[in-house]
Amino acid sequence: MSVDTRPADAAPGRPSRQALSALLYRRGRLRLAGLLTAPAAWLILVYIAALSALLITALWTVDTFTGKVSTTWTLDNLIQVTTDPVYQTIALRTLRIAVLVTVVDMVLALPIAFFIAKVASPRWRGVLVVAILMPLWASYLVKAYAWRNVLAEGGLLEWLGINSPGYSEAAVVIALSYIWLPYMILPIHAGFERVPDSLLEASSDLGAKPLATLRLVILPILVPSIIAGTIFTFALTLGDYITAQIVGGTTQMLGTVVYANVGAANNLPLASAVALIPIAVIMAYLLIVRRTGALNNL
Amino acid sequence: MARTQSALPLLCLTTATLLALTACGTSNGSTEGQGSAPELTAQAEVGEGEGSLSILAWPGYVEDGTNDPAVDWVSSFEEETGCMVDFKPFGTSDEAVTLMRSGQYDVVSASGDASLRLIAGGDVEPVNVDLVESYEGIYPFLKDQLWNTVDGVNYGVPHGWGANVLMYRADQVTPAPTSWRSVFDDAEQNSGKVTAYDSPIYIADAAVYLMAHNPDLGITNPYALDADQLAAAVDLLKAQREHVGEYWSDVVKEVQSFASGSSVIGTTWQVGANIAQADGADVKTVLPEEGATGWSDTWMIGAESEHKNCAYKWLDHIASPEINAQVAEYFGESPATPAACELTQDASHCETYHSGDEEYASQIWYWTTPVADCIDGRTDVECTDYSEWTKAWTEIKG
């Protein structure tokens, strides 16, 4: 820092603007603060403040007679949610559904994405990507109710001669797998696009069979994309409550418990406490997959 | 090291945010007083309408002809009073309580499981029934009941009432059921196709059944259950759950289940049976021998309402015989006013719905919010309140 690297004040026209840039140049911290203010404000207001409000609400109670939130501190809700076997059962069921949906989507999405990215002709590629996106243009509710009809007694499934699971946990997995599938296909498709064809040719030139190429060349490159897809399907399923109500029959998920406590029982504090479970689960999941570089693929 | 430094300002800001939020959250303790209604006074007179009225009500209670041109009792009200109606429907009593709490609505059609919560929360105010001309014509057995009058103070005008009856597919359930036994102890016979109402208040249905079949429990009112009685009802409902195919909270969805055969037996509202029958489904309803839970609605006025004159005019309008007849027929319920029975299009409507049939009405346990002070008069035990019922309901559904 012995040599003064400041540019000479060559343009006398706009002194104030120049003074500002000179100031920002000299004061690194000020520059950093200026850059970070907007995103940090966004993060704090929208995310951290909302989460904190949720946490604080979970520490309040509801007056049992009037149903109004009373702002006295208590850990009762958190204790109840973590120790009551009912909430453990529901949390585990929700987790199981989320994992199943993720696995089903992964198994379906891999060949579809592979076909679009590597097999289909360039002209068809665009058409197929639009076809994948198209269900996203329809309302979530319409899709869920469509499944209600498909799965109903004497519905489309039975009409086709397939044994319908009826309104059940299996029905929830089927409907959610359908609804979230595009969110799995798109990142995997993007991942396949990034695998250069020359790499596949080189692999086969070196004598690898297709399966070996898939296992040793494609999959390692693809893992971050697959994980990016699983974050979508997993997190979206954890928070879902609509499909469970429409095709779930008697199935309760964390989302339906939150919904029942906010909309029906008027117990916002307990709902907040329950809502913290999926947040904790998804944060743990993000921490685990952080190292794979999947987050860069979102 | 560099990492720690960059995280520090963020951490500080987070802490600051938390502190700020905490500061807002000091306890005020004003909601402690249980059971007594806040001091509010009723209007002394009805003046000129304020020009608008926002109504919170069950779907089907406020029709302006948009759903069916022939069904319209809002336009006449608007013409007569100049109060322009803004209508918001709700799906469950609990939703009604939450929405009413926002203070945005002038009047609400509250069922008995919501009304006490609204009164205790100070969300609705006493109603001076002398100002409502149509009040006099209403059935006496609907007036001054537990769910619309507290400490002798009247909180609203009774609307229609109905029972939560047992509906079954006549072509699939034989012999025809006469008892709630078919959805409790005998639910096995239709395992997987039983349906039940998805609300904590459904626990009262189990209590009605236990009241008749397990007298040792000593239940005398299904809304006044001590801890042991609640546990017995919960056990019964847990056993029932094995055979429940679907819990319903949306009557249209329930009708669809009955139409397709996914549900063949379970509790319903008469309006659900009417829709199903109109769609051609072979369903029948019965009021089982044990009696049933039911609902009786009350039109109430929001405490924070700025359109109280219009609100009184609405209460008078909706309870008048002509309008009451239309609403009761459209919704599928018993009218609150005997004079309405002469004015229904279907002359046998009041017979179908057992209007004024006090014996029928006496078999119905109208929805009432469960509270800690046992409403059956017991003073030696504490009863379970609605929040405990809600927790129990989550547990029952598992």
Side-chain angles (χ1 to χ4, degrees):
Chain A
M1 285 297 278
S2 57
V3 182
D4 191 352
T5 52
R6 271 179 292 174
D9 289 346
R14 295 167 187 166
S16 66
R17 207 169 134 185
Q18 226 164 38
L20 181 67
S21 47
L23 180 73
L24 284 179
Y25 181 76
R26 273 193 307 265
R27 310 263 175 178
R29 294 209 158 217
L30 197 64
R31 192 176 59 215
L32 188 68
L35 277 174
L36 285 183
T37 305
W42 172 261
L43 185 75
I44 289 162
L45 277 179
V46 173
Y47 202 70
I48 295 178
L51 273 184
S52 314
L54 200 65
L55 183 66
I56 289 169
T57 312
L59 295 171
W60 284 340
T61 48
V62 160
D63 182 285
T64 51
F65 190 65
T66 62
K68 285 191 168 167
V69 172
S70 99
T71 50
T72 27
W73 302 107
T74 167
L75 285 172
D76 287 358
N77 292 317
L78 293 176
I79 292 169
Q80 199 196 340
V81 163
T82 41
T83 57
D84 197 323
V86 153
Y87 297 102
Q88 291 167 4
T89 314
I90 297 171
L92 284 176
R93 178 187 304 132
T94 309
L95 208 62
R96 184 168 67 233
I97 294 175
V99 169
L100 279 172
V101 167
T102 303
V103 170
V104 169
D105 275 350
M106 205 154 64
V107 169
L108 291 175
L110 273 170
I112 297 174
F114 178 73
F115 181 83
I116 297 174
K118 293 294 171 202
V119 180
S121 69
R123 207 163 61 89
W124 273 104
R125 240 171 251 179
V127 176
L128 287 172
V129 169
V130 171
I132 298 297
L133 283 172
M134 217 141 59
L136 293 180
W137 301 344
S139 157
Y140 176 115
L141 273 181
V142 171
K143 287 184 278 188
Y145 271 105
W147 273 106
R148 188 176 162 83
N149 284 328
V150 171
L151 296 162
E153 194 122 331
L156 186 64
L157 218 54
E158 294 207 334
W159 187 71
L160 292 171
I162 304 164
N163 212 349
S164 167
Y167 302 141
S168 61
E169 197 177 312
V172 176
V173 173
I174 293 172
L176 283 178
S177 300
Y178 166 78
I179 293 171
W180 304 142
L181 187 60
Y183 295 94
M184 183 66 98
I185 296 180
L186 291 176
I188 297 184
H189 170 253
F192 269 121
E193 293 235 291
R194 253 178 283 166
V195 180
D197 288 341
S198 56
L199 213 58
L200 306 183
E201 283 159 18
S203 172
S204 101
D205 285 349
L206 290 169
K209 299 237 164 60
L211 270 183
T213 308
L214 192 71
R215 191 165 56 85
L216 297 169
V217 180
I218 300 179
L219 267 185
I221 304 176
L222 220 55
V223 162
S225 308
I226 296 175
I227 292 176
T230 64
I231 292 171
F232 283 126
T233 56
F234 187 70
L236 288 169
T237 308
L238 273 188
D240 187 78
Y241 68 100
I242 303 172
T243 298
Q245 285 185 7
I246 296 175
V247 298
T250 58
T251 311
Q252 281 198 109
M253 288 175 73
L254 288 172
T256 55
V257 174
V258 170
Y259 178 77
N261 274 294
V262 178
N266 228 338
N267 195 338
L268 202 57
L270 186 63
S272 308
V274 175
L276 289 174
I277 300 175
I279 293 175
V281 170
I282 198 70
M283 279 194 170
Y285 185 63
L286 288 180
L287 278 178
I288 294 167
V289 301
R290 190 180 48 144
R291 295 187 176 278
T292 62
L295 301 184
N296 305 331
N297 278 274
L298 285 181
Chain B
M1 189 60 198
R3 229 184 130 96
T4 330
Q5 263 178 3
S6 67
L8 199 63
L10 193 64
L11 196 69
C12 293
L13 277 166
T14 317
T15 321
T17 319
L18 272 169
L19 283 173
L21 282 165
T22 318
C24 311
T26 46
S27 174
N28 54 21
S30 67
T31 48
E32 289 303 308
Q34 277 213 350
S36 59
E39 288 288 324
L40 290 167
T41 44
Q43 294 270 101
E45 56 179 5
V46 179
E48 277 287 299
E50 292 90 348
S52 70
L53 181 72
S54 73
I55 302 176
L56 184 64
W58 290 103
Y61 273 8
V62 182
E63 292 294 318
D64 62 358
T66 36
N67 287 330
D68 179 352
V71 179
D72 177 5
W73 49 87
V74 167
S75 302
S76 60
F77 172 73
E78 288 178 338
E79 273 163 34
E80 279 165 29
T81 63
C83 302
M84 304 316 281
V85 167
D86 183 20
F87 170 52
K88 161 89 180 166
F90 58 80
T92 63
S93 285
D94 304 304
E95 193 186 338
V97 174
T98 313
L99 285 171
M100 202 57 199
R101 207 142 273 170
S102 71
Q104 290 173 21
Y105 304 96
D106 300 314
V107 291
V108 60
S109 69
S111 294
D113 56 334
S115 52
L116 286 185
R117 280 182 273 168
L118 291 170
I119 294 170
D123 302 307
V124 292
E125 64 172 30
V127 167
N128 186 347
V129 288
D130 295 341
L131 302 180
V132 182
E133 224 173 280
S134 313
Y135 186 79
E136 220 189 311
I138 290 170
Y139 284 118
F141 69 88
L142 294 174
K143 294 178 182 173
D144 302 325
Q145 295 295 332
L146 273 174
W147 56 90
N148 59 26
T149 305
V150 173
D151 298 336
V153 181
N154 202 303
Y155 280 86
V157 172
H159 187 82
W161 55 275
N164 299 319
V165 291
L166 182 63
M167 174 155 80
Y168 59 98
R169 279 277 295 253
D171 53 341
Q172 294 187 25
V173 181
T174 45
T178 55
S179 156
W180 287 114
R181 185 184 292 280
S182 52
V183 294
F184 291 116
D185 289 333
D186 292 346
E188 221 174 328
Q189 290 168 7
N190 293 295
S191 193
K193 296 190 171 190
V194 175
T195 189
Y197 186 50
D198 189 1
S199 164
I201 207 73
Y202 184 68
I203 291 172
D205 287 53
V208 167
Y209 180 72
L210 289 174
M211 203 155 58
H213 296 279
N214 200 344
D216 294 348
L217 284 166
I219 300 174
T220 54
N221 182 317
Y223 303 100
L225 305 180
D226 61 37
D228 294 338
Q229 294 165 341
L230 179 68
V234 166
D235 285 344
L236 184 64
L237 290 166
K238 276 185 177 166
Q240 183 199 40
R241 189 197 170 276
E242 306 296 317
H243 309 294
V244 169
E246 185 175 46
Y247 290 102
W248 67 274
S249 57
D250 174 351
V251 73
V252 177
K253 226 164 76 184
E254 190 216 11
V255 166
Q256 195 201 4
S257 279
F258 268 91
S260 72
S262 295
S263 299
V264 299
I265 192 163
T267 178
T268 191
W269 300 329
Q270 190 57 43
V271 63
N274 294 352
I275 301 172
Q277 281 159 355
D279 286 352
D282 188 9
V283 298
K284 286 205 170 98
T285 58
V286 59
L287 182 81
E289 61 198 26
E290 294 92 352
T293 59
W295 83 94
S296 174
D297 297 343
T298 307
W299 283 99
M300 300 180 138
I301 299 179
E304 287 167 36
S305 163
E306 286 172 4
H307 309 107
K308 290 197 173 130
N309 295 332
C310 278
Y312 270 92
K313 288 176 198 287
W314 174 260
L315 262 49
D316 191 36
H317 180 76
I318 200 80
S320 64
E322 308 81 51
I323 306 301
N324 202 219
Q326 290 181 47
V327 181
E329 217 165 5
Y330 180 70
F331 188 83
E333 64 182 358
S334 168
T337 309
C341 291
E342 310 292 319
L343 300 164
T344 49
Q345 284 178 353
D346 172 7
S348 63
H349 178 86
C350 282
E351 217 169 293
T352 314
Y353 287 90
H354 306 271
S355 315
D357 181 347
E358 285 202 40
E359 200 202 311
Y360 183 92
S362 69
Q363 297 178 62
I364 299 172
W365 293 96
Y366 297 105
W367 281 346
T368 312
T369 313
V371 290
D373 295 334
C374 300
I375 52 171
D376 60 358
R378 283 183 292 174
T379 48
D380 53 333
V381 287
E382 187 153 286
C383 280
T384 49
D385 63 28
Y386 194 68
S387 77
E388 280 167 86
W389 283 39
T390 310
K391 279 175 196 160
W393 188 243
T394 305
E395 202 187 308
I396 289 160
K397 285 170 72 190

